Amino acid sequence: MDRTRLADDLREANSFVYVIRCEKSTPMQQMLLAHVPRFRPGGNGRKDVSDRFCRNSTAPGRNIRRMSGEPRAIVKAMPRQKASSLPLDIRVAQARDHLSGRRQKLIEAIVENAEETFFLSSRELARRFHVDAATIVRTIQAIGYERYADFTVDLRRYFLARVSPYAVLKAETSKGRDLADHIARSLDRDLDNVTRLKTQLDLDAVTELARAIHKAPRILVVGVDLAASLAGLLAYALLPLGFSAEAPVGSAGNLRHKVRVLGKGDLLIAISFGRCLRETVDAVIHTRSRGVTTFGITDSASTPLARHCDGYLSASIASPLYTGSYAAPVALINSIVTACSQIQPNRSLARLRQSEEEYFAGDRFYEEPARRRRTSQ
């Protein structure tokens, strides 16, 4: 693959993607081209396309939403986003019985070849599948989209959510940057993600989640694989404040057993990103079906957690690193713990005072041998 230039900015929308510019590009070479028709391989000019990508929210108060079902105290309403109300694959599945055979084949071909179609205009897409542009527009309207632009947003999200860690790392290393540049890019993305979280975070929503934590007799924080580190962080930070919080570890069976014992009044906080891991989403669905309040920490309005939880908060994990960046989710968890500690500060101080003597006594912290001898004398 003759790559002549790799754009500096990592693109984000539920996962990772990079803009590759090529002298001559085949459809497979364009699979990482991350923008609309105005940005094409082989152009001489360099454009910053970061602001053209769909983001989780565009203003404070838009990163938490009310889901279907009975109202929950911890959930604030969020304006519906047309392109994100239902993910593309669900729209297609729901509309399949109402589509003609020809339209079914057309929309399925578009989705199955998303790496070759998500950046095309309606006219280009029509030429790609040997139909007229009006047929394309009528077909996407038949699955619930008012505008072609809304459809391309979701098609792009569908593609980006399926970009593998291998593709991310391969795209990042193809430029030939030196090690210092790679490290700087990673840190820059972390800072960008945290800055975006700060400008978009709904502080009232964080406060309402903290109040729900105060009310819940039992809190289960679910995170699988790498997200287990975030679940453990949140649960551990809540324990010194006197909350009965736990992040299950071990097998999927252990997680299921922990979920089953939750009852009304308890709270389940689930953490997962992008396409979301099945064990985490299944835990949410099973728990919520029994009337237990569920809350998600994720990275987009279109993730399974955002759809199935009573409420959610989002933080970007976009990064040139193949694992994604957890800088913003950690900052979000810090804001939740801060709210929990400050809602009833006297209660928090009383809980921490109980461990104050233990904190400075005993063998908790390491001391050099000479210092230990002087202390013992």
Side-chain angles (χ1 to χ4, degrees), residues 88-137:
L88 176 60
D89 52 341
I90 293 181
R91 285 179 182 265
V92 172
Q94 291 181 349
R96 184 171 286 113
D97 294 338
H98 308 290
L99 295 175
S100 66
R102 184 184 177 191
R103 285 183 176 177
Q104 282 187 34
K105 291 180 180 179
L106 177 59
I107 195 64
E108 288 173 359
I110 293 172
V111 173
E112 289 172 2
N113 296 277
E115 72 277 5
E116 303 174 10
T117 60
F118 76 95
F119 52 85
L120 298 178
S121 68
S122 59
R123 294 181 183 274
E124 292 169 327
L125 194 62
R127 286 196 296 269
R128 168 73 170 74
F129 292 100
H130 309 290
V131 296
D132 56 71
T135 298
I136 295 292
V137 173

Side-chain angles (χ1 to χ4, degrees), residues 66 125 234 320 357 377:
R66 183 181 300 278
L125 194 62
L234 178 55
E357 185 175 343
Q377 293 175 357

Side-chain angles (χ1 to χ4, degrees), residues 97-377:
D97 294 338
H98 308 290
L99 295 175
S100 66
R102 184 184 177 191
R103 285 183 176 177
Q104 282 187 34
K105 291 180 180 179
L106 177 59
I107 195 64
E108 288 173 359
I110 293 172
V111 173
E112 289 172 2
N113 296 277
E115 72 277 5
E116 303 174 10
T117 60
F118 76 95
F119 52 85
L120 298 178
S121 68
S122 59
R123 294 181 183 274
E124 292 169 327
L125 194 62
R127 286 196 296 269
R128 168 73 170 74
F129 292 100
H130 309 290
V131 296
D132 56 71
T135 298
I136 295 292
V137 173
R138 286 194 296 267
T139 300
I140 66 103
Q141 289 175 341
I143 61 174
Y145 291 99
E146 295 180 2
R147 303 182 307 159
Y148 181 77
D150 295 333
F151 170 72
T152 58
V153 167
D154 278 2
L155 184 61
R156 187 160 58 244
R157 286 178 175 173
Y158 178 85
F159 163 67
L160 295 177
R162 286 155 177 79
V163 175
S164 68
Y166 171 81
V168 173
L169 184 58
K170 185 176 181 180
E172 178 65 12
T173 57
S174 63
K175 173 62 178 178
R177 293 185 179 88
D178 61 29
L179 183 59
D181 288 338
H182 285 297
I183 295 173
R185 277 171 54 78
S186 178
L187 291 173
D188 286 342
R189 178 55 66 174
D190 289 346
L191 290 172
D192 289 345
N193 290 346
V194 173
T195 299
R196 185 176 301 130
L197 174 69
K198 182 179 179 180
T199 59
Q200 297 178 354
L201 185 62
D202 185 347
L203 300 181
D204 291 337
V206 174
T207 302
E208 291 184 15
L209 173 58
R211 293 189 188 281
I213 291 173
H214 271 265
K215 294 177 182 178
R218 189 180 332 182
I219 303 153
L220 194 68
V221 188
V222 176
V224 178
D225 289 349
L226 192 56
S229 60
L230 298 175
L233 171 64
L234 178 55
Y236 185 84
L238 293 176
L239 286 174
L241 297 177
F243 300 109
S244 179
E246 179 183 5
V249 296
S251 66
N254 182 55
L255 173 59
R256 295 189 194 102
H257 291 314
K258 297 291 184 180
V259 166
R260 289 192 190 103
V261 299
L262 293 178
K264 290 186 178 180
D266 293 334
L267 174 65
L268 183 140
I269 302 175
I271 306 175
S272 196
F273 306 96
R275 297 170 68 181
C276 296
L277 296 179
R278 176 176 296 179
E279 292 177 9
T280 306
V281 180
D282 284 347
V284 167
I285 294 173
H286 178 71
T287 304
R288 192 169 182 230
S289 68
R290 295 185 289 108
V292 178
T293 300
T294 60
F295 201 92
I297 294 176
T298 187
D299 62 332
S300 168
S302 62
T303 66
L305 276 191
R307 298 197 303 271
H308 290 290
C309 285
D310 293 298
Y312 72 91
L313 287 165
S314 63
S316 173
I317 63 168
S319 173
L321 184 62
Y322 61 92
T323 60
S325 166
Y326 277 2
V330 168
L332 176 57
I333 288 172
N334 288 344
S335 70
I336 295 169
V337 175
T338 298
C340 289
S341 66
Q342 294 298 328
I343 286 178
Q344 298 180 24
N346 291 335
R347 175 188 182 278
S348 300
L349 287 171
R351 293 290 184 176
L352 292 176
R353 192 176 297 116
Q354 297 175 5
S355 60
E356 181 77 357
E357 185 175 343
E358 300 175 2
Y359 193 83
F360 291 104
D363 298 327
R364 179 178 177 83
F365 299 105
Y366 174 79
E367 292 183 358
E368 295 294 341
R371 181 181 176 85
R372 284 202 298 267
R373 286 196 297 270
R374 290 196 301 270
T375 302
S376 62
Q377 293 175 357

